[in-house]
Amino acid sequence: MTATTLRQRPSRLRFLGLLSALLLASCAEDPMGPENRFALIAFGQCSYDQALMLADQAIAKGNVDNVERGLMLKAAIFRDRGDPEAAEALYPKIDAAWQAAKEKPLSESRRLRDIQMFIDIAHAERHAKGLDPSCQGNPDSIARDN
């Protein structure tokens, strides 16, 4: 290496460091929240109980966006595991959380579309990992059926 190359390298590293810091500082807050993201991952792996626990943690934190998404995610989990009554029982809470987060009413079609989106993501994740999309034969589903 030449002396010129050695002098350029620190300035390049400083530039990359500064660029990284600016990009991180300009990123918007994650509207889903880490607990809901981990809940969605668990849901995609047929770990319903863990997914529900993580969604409940997101809801408990009280961030209006995380609450709304956590409730929708819980409804999706209940619906996917065959408990549509539990999902429907969450609808009034979902509507109220949406109103708080978006400051406008939630339409039924939008609520159902967003819930179905979480189910579709979980099914796609299962398909990609070679799991049964219905989670049949998974230890969580066997324990729940007994």
Side-chain angles (χ1 to χ4, degrees), residues 70-76 78 85-95 111:
L71 288 166
M72 286 221 193
L73 184 54
K74 280 184 71 168
F78 286 137
E85 295 83 18
E88 290 167 9
L90 291 173
Y91 289 0
K93 289 180 181 180
I94 292 170
D95 293 347
R111 180 182 59 230

Side-chain angles (χ1 to χ4, degrees), residues 43-64:
F43 180 30
Q45 296 173 351
C46 300
S47 297
Y48 292 119
D49 293 337
Q50 181 181 16
L52 287 169
M53 179 195 66
L54 289 163
D56 282 336
Q57 287 176 3
I59 293 165
K61 284 196 171 184
N63 174 296
V64 292

